[in-house]
């Protein structure tokens, strides 16, 4: 058997991989069937579909850690739920609204927090495995910068969508009347990334193992 050129200490098992992939495909199919706005569904879930295809394509040569795989699946489910109902009308968002006593459905806030929390581990894994970068201040800075730059790029995508689709993109924008929605989105992404690095870095290091970094 040809050795994997980019090994990790703790990848997901074969059963876990099929469970995660099958669960996401099923969730995508169900969400498409019940979607209240197909344009919003496509704009929100395309990230999950592209991500799943990319991970499957690169898996033989670049398997990911178990932690990252589960985080990516969780992030995809947040996107799929938002795409099925639109972020302003998600049932789980209304439940959170009642629980937290917020003035608006907070599912989009959660989505942007996850936009930092999960990609932080993705960026960390790629930087540690594919570059000479080592653990320390520069790694933290570059991970936070990567997450914040992607958040800014996503806000540009929302702007372009509004220019192209006009009022049809309102459900995708999910501003819910907040004039500071863009700033909130980027701030929550940064908070999510910082939380992820604080809470998950040591766990992630154990799953990467000593042989994951390039010589």
């Amino acid at each position: 058997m040809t050795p994997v050129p980019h090994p990790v200490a703790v990848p997901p098992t074969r059963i876990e991989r099929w469970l995660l992939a099958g669960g996401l495909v099923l969730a995508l199919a169900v969400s498409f069937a019940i979607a209240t706005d197909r344009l919003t569904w496509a704009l929100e879930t395309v990230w999950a579909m592209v991500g799943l295809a990319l991970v499957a394509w690169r898996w033989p040569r670049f398997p990911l850690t178990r932690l990252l795989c589960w985080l990516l699946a969780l992030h995809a489910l947040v996107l799929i739920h938002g795409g099925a109902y639109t972020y302003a009308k998600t049932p789980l968002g209304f439940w959170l609204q009642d629980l937290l006593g917020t003035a608006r459905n907070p599912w989009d806030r959660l989505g942007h927090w996850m936009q930092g929390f999960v990609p932080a581990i993705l960026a960390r894994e790629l930087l540690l495995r594919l570059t000479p970068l080592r653990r320390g201040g520069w790694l933290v800075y570059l991970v936070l910068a990567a997450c914040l730059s992607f958040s800014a790029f996503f806000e540009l995508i929302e702007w372009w969508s509004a220019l192209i689709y006009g009022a049809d993109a309102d459900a995708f924008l999910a501003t819910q009347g907040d004039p500071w929605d863009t700033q909130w989105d980027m701030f929550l992404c940064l908070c999510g990334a910082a939380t992820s690095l604080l809470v998950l870095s040591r766990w992630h290091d154990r799953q990467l193992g000593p042989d994951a970094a390039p010589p």
Side-chain angles (χ1 to χ4, degrees):
M1 181 180 295
T2 303
V4 176
H6 295 284
V8 291
V10 187
T13 66
R14 183 181 179 87
I15 294 177
E16 282 179 295
R17 297 199 302 270
W18 281 107
L19 176 65
L20 291 171
L24 290 180
V25 171
L26 178 61
L28 283 166
V30 171
S31 69
F32 178 78
I34 66 174
T36 57
D37 183 331
R38 293 287 168 77
L39 174 61
T40 299
W41 181 88
L43 292 172
E44 298 291 0
T45 62
V46 65
W47 306 99
M49 291 185 282
V50 171
L52 180 60
L54 184 60
V55 169
W57 173 54
R58 294 298 299 165
W59 191 268
R61 295 187 61 81
F62 200 87
L64 305 176
T65 58
R66 173 183 288 167
L67 173 62
L68 180 55
C69 287
W70 280 95
L71 286 174
L72 289 172
L74 181 60
H75 193 187
L77 290 175
V78 171
L79 298 175
I80 291 169
H81 186 62
Y85 296 97
T86 75
Y87 274 79
K89 300 178 181 178
T90 51
L92 288 178
F94 285 130
W95 176 78
L96 283 175
Q97 184 177 4
D98 292 338
L99 179 67
L100 302 175
T102 59
R104 54 175 278 163
N105 188 314
W107 196 254
D108 66 316
R109 302 294 199 216
L110 174 64
H112 283 279
W113 188 85
M114 289 289 288
Q115 193 182 68
F117 189 81
V118 175
I121 298 302
L122 173 60
R124 190 176 191 274
E125 185 153 327
L126 294 177
L127 287 171
L128 284 174
R129 295 175 63 186
L130 297 177
T131 75
L133 193 64
R134 292 296 182 262
R135 295 158 182 84
W138 276 109
L139 176 64
V140 172
Y141 168 75
L142 289 175
V143 167
L144 293 176
C147 292
L148 197 54
S149 63
F150 179 77
S151 179
F153 177 65
F154 191 83
E155 296 303 322
L156 291 176
I157 291 176
E158 290 188 344
W159 173 44
W160 296 331
S161 299
L163 292 176
I164 294 171
Y165 297 110
D168 291 336
D170 286 350
F172 174 59
L173 299 178
T175 60
Q176 299 184 61
D178 185 357
W180 304 107
D181 186 70
T182 297
Q183 288 78 8
W184 268 112
D185 290 348
M186 296 177 66
F187 173 69
L188 288 171
C189 173
L190 180 61
C191 290
T195 302
S196 184
L197 291 178
L198 285 171
V199 174
L200 299 179
S201 288
R202 289 188 178 181
W203 186 5
H204 190 220
D205 285 341
R206 290 194 295 271
Q207 296 211 353
L208 285 170
D211 297 328

